[in-house]
Amino acid sequence: MSLVSGARSLLRLRRCRAAAAAVAGWRRAWACGQRGAGRPRPRPRPGGNVKPLDGIRVLDLTRVLAGPFATMILGDLGAEIIKVERPGSGDETRAWGPPFKGTESVYFLSVNRNKKSIAVNLKSSHGVRIIKDLASVCDVLIENYVPGKLAELGLGYRDIEEIAPHIVYCSISGYGQTGPMSLRAGYDSVACAVSGLMDITGPQDGEPVRPGVAMTDLATGLYSHGAIMAGLLQREKTGRGLYIDCNLLSSQVACLTHLAANYLTGGREAKRWGTAHESIVPYQAFKTKDGYLVVGAGNDQQFAIVCKILSLPSLSDDQRYKTNQLRVQNRRELINVLYARFSEKTTKDWLQLFEGSGVPYGPINSIQKAFSEPQVIHNDLILEMDHPTAGSIAVPGPAVRFSDFKISNPKPPPLIGQHTVEVLKTLLGYNESFINELLAAGTVTQHELD
């Protein structure tokens, strides 16, 4: 049997079976859901390190940062992540370096743990059929292609919904799936600029500055992760999947919070304040004899404590500074006095004086110093893994801890196509001869470990 005819017959049969099983299963779930509050709750499973997303399977068609960040969090929570990559080059960030660890980009290594990689050529009709087959046995599909691109390939939400009505399908884009900017390529720094974030970031009298980390991408990843969790909960209630539209612009505009509300409610335009706060004084970085210290006095009592620590008690009694509103009005004079005082001692000296005061404070750390902080170490924010080719690697660990389970024993980021044959065999039941035909045709590739 030829590759074409064999592929068509086998994939058609598997797709029909999977679709029928999915529809039947979700009809049962819907009927069960209709019984409402009387529906029995699942009983807790005793023992073990049971994670909330154990048994959930995610088909990950994302690259770069926002999508991979979202699926990494889902993987930390127990989901099985199947990362689909382009044969040969894979995720673009595999080439983003230096630095590299061995031949692996550290950028890629930072956000792709707990994933399986399969290399599939989506320009091939057989590759598209593989994705459809995988979607039928997955709970979630997440992608970040230019809007409309996957639909052109027959992998849009409506196409997938037909064969997998249970699917929670999440699209990540630069600006949204529709609208005048929807077809533009979306990168963090551009969305950061368009959203207004870059305009309010930087020195008070200087030019706009890009944040040191891709916060717009990361915020979108967090929104996407949360939206997918909500989608899975919604599916439990309705028995149906749904479509989620996440994008960089919306995520970042939503994160403008009170500064956006200041404009929308009062027509007040925000401006750059450097490390300072527009509405709270003092709340900024001060230069010490050998570094910087950030101090925030969020109320009048804390301001009085700051003045006492600085041996400037008269400031808290000064009528110009009695309330935060007055301190904002007289910001320049007050900050000049504080700046002069902070410059007289080292950062270490000030840290010792502020310890136990109840006032928020901390040094401006380098990355090296940040990972040497006792609290960072205590919070298990250094995650070490053994990579099959890069050897020992370390990345930032999960930010959240839970009482009933641990995010432990992480799997290292995969090589391109490291799990292709495994996934095709175990999840789709493809036989060895058919997989070999797909490999020979270049529809899929497999990375063989030495």
Side-chain angles (χ1 to χ4, degrees):
M1 183 180 291
S2 69
L3 172 63
V4 173
S5 60
R8 284 177 176 170
S9 59
L10 179 59
L11 291 174
R12 187 181 300 114
L13 176 61
R14 295 195 183 286
R15 192 163 59 248
C16 290
R17 286 177 177 173
V23 171
W26 290 104
R27 280 176 177 167
R28 287 193 298 271
W30 167 250
C32 185
Q34 288 290 80
R35 290 196 289 270
R39 180 161 56 105
R41 297 281 184 184
R43 295 180 180 177
R45 286 179 283 175
N49 190 30
V50 180
K51 298 178 181 177
L53 294 185
D54 282 349
I56 295 295
R57 187 177 293 135
V58 178
L59 186 57
D60 180 4
L61 277 71
T62 67
R63 302 95 62 209
V64 189
L65 184 55
F69 187 61
T71 55
M72 180 182 70
I73 299 172
L74 297 173
D76 284 342
L77 296 176
E80 179 184 5
I81 311 298
I82 302 170
K83 182 178 179 71
V84 180
E85 299 192 69
R86 183 187 300 117
S89 57
D91 188 316
E92 290 94 313
T93 61
R94 288 186 181 272
W96 286 12
F100 291 92
K101 183 69 185 295
T103 59
E104 301 300 314
S105 157
V106 174
Y107 193 118
F108 177 85
L109 296 177
S110 71
V111 289
N112 283 287
R113 64 177 176 265
N114 292 322
K115 300 178 185 180
K116 297 177 180 178
S117 171
I118 65 171
V120 181
N121 180 8
L122 297 188
K123 294 181 180 179
S124 159
S125 59
H126 304 303
V128 169
R129 290 192 182 99
I130 290 171
I131 299 303
K132 287 185 174 181
D133 276 2
L134 285 170
S136 70
V137 295
C138 287
D139 300 279
V140 176
L141 187 153
I142 178 170
E143 59 89 12
N144 64 347
Y145 283 76
V146 173
K149 181 62 177 178
L150 285 185
E152 292 176 6
L153 298 174
L155 295 173
Y157 173 60
R158 295 304 175 194
D159 304 297
I160 300 300
E161 184 189 28
E162 288 183 8
I163 59 171
H166 64 278
I167 204 83
V168 174
Y169 190 118
C170 178
S171 293
I172 298 176
S173 62
Y175 304 98
Q177 296 298 303
T178 58
M181 298 171 66
S182 61
L183 296 183
R184 291 189 189 179
Y187 264 44
D188 171 90
S189 60
V190 179
C192 174
V194 175
S195 69
L197 176 62
M198 196 177 290
D199 186 59
I200 59 173
T201 305
Q204 187 171 354
D205 299 318
E207 296 182 351
V209 171
R210 173 186 175 273
V213 133
M215 292 307 303
T216 302
D217 267 343
L218 296 173
T220 305
L222 288 169
Y223 270 116
S224 301
H225 141 254
I228 288 169
M229 299 287 276
L232 291 170
L233 286 173
Q234 179 75 351
R235 189 180 72 179
E236 286 296 308
K237 296 179 179 181
T238 66
R240 301 188 304 274
L242 77 168
Y243 182 74
I244 299 168
D245 175 4
C246 288
N247 65 84
L248 304 185
L249 180 64
S250 295
S251 297
Q252 190 54 71
V253 169
C255 285
L256 294 177
T257 58
H258 67 283
L259 294 180
N262 288 348
Y263 169 74
L264 295 172
T265 302
R268 183 175 178 177
E269 186 67 79
K271 62 180 183 179
R272 291 184 288 283
W273 284 100
T275 66
H277 194 289
E278 179 182 34
S279 304
I280 306 172
V281 175
Y283 191 128
Q284 65 181 79
F286 294 94
K287 186 172 176 54
T288 66
K289 187 178 285 188
D290 62 348
Y292 291 89
L293 185 77
V294 175
V295 174
N299 55 53
D300 298 337
Q301 181 181 2
Q302 289 181 347
F303 176 65
I305 295 172
V306 170
C307 294
K308 182 178 179 180
I309 293 172
L310 270 59
S311 299
L312 296 171
S314 60
L315 284 181
S316 60
D317 295 325
D318 192 312
Q319 291 303 311
R320 294 173 296 173
Y321 313 132
K322 290 290 287 184
T323 67
N324 181 69
Q325 186 173 355
L326 290 169
R327 292 193 291 276
V328 170
Q329 293 172 6
N330 297 287
R331 178 194 300 264
R332 185 183 297 274
E333 298 92 330
L334 175 58
I335 295 303
N336 286 339
V337 174
L338 298 180
Y339 227 84
R341 182 70 179 109
F342 274 109
S343 67
E344 296 174 5
K345 293 181 183 291
T346 66
T347 301
K348 183 178 180 180
D349 290 338
W350 287 122
L351 291 174
Q352 291 174 345
L353 289 169
F354 273 90
E355 179 66 32
S357 66
V359 174
Y361 71 97
I364 294 183
N365 282 331
S366 64
I367 300 295
Q368 179 185 18
K369 289 182 178 179
F371 279 100
S372 299
E373 283 281 0
Q375 192 65 46
V376 170
I377 297 170
H378 173 80
N379 288 354
D380 293 328
L381 289 171
I382 302 173
L383 193 61
E384 296 178 319
M385 295 171 282
D386 288 322
H387 189 273
T389 61
S392 178
I393 63 173
V395 298
V400 180
R401 295 194 284 183
F402 301 85
S403 63
D404 283 0
F405 66 93
K406 292 183 178 180
I407 299 175
S408 56
N409 301 319
K411 296 177 182 176
L415 302 169
I416 302 172
Q418 181 179 341
H419 304 92
T420 301
V421 171
E422 173 192 332
V423 167
L424 296 182
K425 278 185 177 180
T426 59
L427 296 190
L428 300 185
Y430 290 2
N431 63 45
E432 190 168 338
S433 63
F434 182 53
I435 292 174
N436 287 336
E437 288 186 57
L438 294 172
L439 289 166
T443 302
V444 300
T445 60
Q446 168 71 31
H447 193 295
E448 297 294 345
L449 295 175
D450 295 332

